[in-house]
Amino acid sequence: MTVTAYTLAVLLDLFCLFLAYRFLFQPGPAAAGYGVPADPGGDAGAYLSIKGARDGAFGVVGLALLAFAGAHAEAWFMVGVALVPLSDTLIVLRNGGAKAVAYGIHFATAIVVLISAALLFLV
């Protein structure tokens, strides 16, 4: 159980860093994959960079908590972070994005993050 909990947490934190990279360096494709296309050269460019910075911070903080504070601190962090993909679900739906993306990517991510938190609480 411990190996599974830590592995899932590390993978989720690394995935945040991957998302940060995509939104900072490939904002157009990243926005399309998010479910709400945006023009990185237009007004949306700053917001795509903000999303990249936010996701990168989540990844770094998650890894730091896991390394220096332990599983329970990471678990509480994951509970809080789960609000982000839940909000992303609503953002995609409210802005005309595909329901498959909203539920299949964002809502599913929130569930996986909460499962990770539960596993970490059990460690």
Side-chain angles (χ1 to χ4, degrees):
M1 179 78 71
T2 301
V3 172
T4 303
Y6 276 88
T7 300
L8 183 56
V10 168
L11 288 175
L12 288 170
D13 291 335
L14 291 174
F15 186 65
C16 285
L17 293 175
F18 169 74
L19 290 174
Y21 168 81
R22 291 257 301 161
F23 274 93
L24 291 171
F25 297 104
Q26 300 172 336
Y34 176 85
V36 181
D39 178 11
D43 292 339
Y47 293 105
L48 298 175
S49 295
I50 291 167
K51 178 163 175 19
R54 175 193 79 176
D55 289 346
F58 285 153
V60 169
V61 170
L63 290 170
L65 281 171
L66 201 55
F68 301 112
H72 287 144
E74 177 78 359
W76 282 112
F77 176 72
M78 291 284 189
V79 169
V81 166
L83 295 173
V84 173
L86 288 173
S87 298
D88 290 345
T89 301
L90 297 175
I91 290 166
V92 170
L93 292 172
R94 191 173 70 182
N95 288 282
K99 289 182 182 180
V101 171
Y103 294 115
I105 295 174
H106 300 294
F107 190 77
T109 298
I111 298 302
V112 171
V113 170
L114 291 173
I115 289 169
S116 178
L119 291 172
L120 288 165
F121 278 126
L122 295 173
V123 170

